[in-house]
Amino acid sequence: MTYCVGIRLDAGLVFLSDSRTNAGVDQVGTFRKMSVFEKAGERMMVLMAAGNLSISQSIRELLSEYQDANGNTIWNVQSMYDAARILGEAVRAIHQRDAKALSEFGIDFNVSLMFGGQIKGERCRLFQIYSAGNFIEAHNENTYFQIGEAKYGKPILDRVINTATSLDDAAKCALISMDSTLRSNISVGLPLDLLVYENNHLAVSRFVTIDEKNQYFQMIRNSWGQQLKTVFEGIEAPVWDINASASNLTGHQPSASAANTHSKPVMVAHPDKTAGTSTMGSLQSFAEQRSNPHQH
């Protein structure tokens, strides 16, 4: 498996990928997931892939030389949209060639791609391409894409990233997102590839391969965990008031006794006055009924 994130900003683009392809007990595979297609001063395009490695490598190789019916390639089209369309055609060409044979061995045609960059004369653009060759584009409402193990690194991106975010802050956020994924999923691993592209530069601006010795990433890993723990410890634990009135449940102020005693937000444990039992008692009764479906 893998984790890749691409971010489109007013200032440019940020791409980050890991390099792990499998993580068995006695076999760990490492392959680069990021490829750059560049003609300095004219176009700069980045491809990242997740899914079946043999499929993604075949697509990457075909893309560099693929021509559509009109003779268009990623090297001569005038828009990133057309470049993404050609990538989609390359995906379908590999599917037509290999999908049936793979299926006979019980292997699905599984690949997810992220493709972004800039062609002279237009803005930076970012696309996510699916196994069928169709794609969507990142817009201001959703300015980043993830492929692979996306769920662990998503919360920080949702809280921080918008189109006005600086390239350096976006790179920092992407690395924190990756660190969260590395800590929670063994199928994602170092080294990482980080590419930061400055708008209108039309060549790779900044690129680095990050391993376990990278000082900045080690600082991210250590300080982020410590900062999270500090913030967590600074949030009050629940304070229970089992005698509070029902009005507390609808957002009214706590009872006078609770306010005087605690002077802090109160977690109300509200009695179920209609049933004559506590809410927990009602839940336990329901659980007992569910456990014996023949009981009436």
Side-chain angles (χ1 to χ4, degrees):
M1 201 55 180
T2 192
Y3 175 51
C4 303
V5 56
I7 306 172
R8 183 190 64 80
L9 308 163
D10 294 337
L13 296 158
V14 173
F15 300 92
L16 178 65
S17 63
D18 84 316
S19 60
R20 182 160 292 176
T21 57
N22 55 66
V25 174
D26 58 356
Q27 182 180 10
V28 175
T30 299
F31 288 88
R32 176 161 283 170
K33 312 296 180 58
M34 182 187 297
S35 302
V36 176
F37 302 84
E38 180 187 77
K39 187 183 289 186
E42 182 182 308
R43 64 193 63 212
M44 196 290 302
M45 298 167 287
V46 176
L47 175 68
M48 296 192 296
N52 186 292
L53 182 63
S54 68
I55 295 172
S56 62
Q57 286 187 344
S58 295
I59 292 169
R60 181 190 65 193
E61 294 302 317
L62 180 60
L63 178 64
S64 64
E65 58 187 27
Y66 184 85
Q67 291 187 10
D68 68 9
N70 298 315
N72 294 316
T73 72
I74 62 168
W75 303 109
N76 62 21
V77 292
Q78 297 303 303
S79 73
M80 283 297 301
Y81 178 89
D82 284 333
R85 178 183 54 79
I86 288 172
L87 173 56
E89 289 190 15
V91 172
R92 287 190 286 271
I94 298 299
H95 181 275
Q96 185 175 10
R97 189 191 75 184
D98 294 345
K100 183 178 179 181
L102 291 172
S103 178
E104 291 175 353
F105 287 89
I107 301 172
D108 294 331
F109 191 87
N110 173 33
V111 66
S112 298
L113 303 168
M114 199 182 308
F115 185 60
Q118 186 177 25
I119 294 175
K120 189 174 183 179
E122 71 165 5
R123 58 185 170 83
C124 293
R125 301 176 77 172
L126 180 67
F127 301 87
Q128 183 171 347
I129 294 88
Y130 301 100
S131 295
N134 57 321
F135 55 86
I136 59 175
E137 182 174 2
H139 291 288
N140 290 348
E141 297 77 15
N142 182 26
T143 192
Y144 72 87
F145 287 135
Q146 302 166 285
I147 54 176
E149 291 291 347
K151 55 186 176 292
Y152 306 104
K154 191 175 189 299
I156 183 65
L157 296 169
D158 287 338
R159 290 181 181 274
V160 171
I161 297 297
N162 58 64
T163 57
T165 304
S166 70
L167 288 173
D168 286 342
D169 281 348
K172 175 173 65 175
C173 186
L175 288 169
I176 292 172
S177 174
M178 181 64 76
D179 175 58
S180 298
T181 307
L182 290 170
R183 288 182 179 273
S184 299
N185 195 304
I186 193 174
S187 69
V188 179
L190 298 169
L192 314 175
D193 288 326
L194 173 66
L195 189 152
V196 177
Y197 171 75
E198 185 179 352
N199 191 28
N200 294 322
H201 201 72
L202 296 173
V204 174
S205 303
R206 283 165 277 176
F207 174 81
V208 62
T209 296
I210 297 170
D211 60 16
E212 64 278 0
K213 298 178 182 178
N214 184 278
Q215 293 182 359
Y216 183 79
F217 190 59
Q218 286 304 313
M219 181 276 293
I220 287 281
R221 305 202 76 177
N222 295 329
S223 63
W224 179 245
Q226 293 169 358
Q227 295 284 358
L228 278 179
K229 187 175 181 180
T230 299
V231 172
F232 176 81
E233 292 174 346
I235 297 174
E236 297 288 350
V239 176
W240 298 92
D241 182 2
I242 61 174
N243 298 313
S245 65
S247 63
N248 287 335
L249 293 176
T250 60
H252 292 84
Q253 293 295 321
S255 61
S257 61
N260 292 336
T261 303
H262 304 299
S263 298
K264 61 180 67 174
V266 175
M267 183 78 75
V268 177
H270 176 54
D272 186 343
K273 297 184 182 303
T274 59
T277 60
S278 70
T279 303
M280 179 58 71
S282 299
L283 291 175
Q284 289 173 341
S285 297
F286 179 73
E288 290 166 2
Q289 293 171 8
R290 293 284 298 213
S291 65
N292 187 357
H294 301 296
Q295 186 179 39
H296 297 285

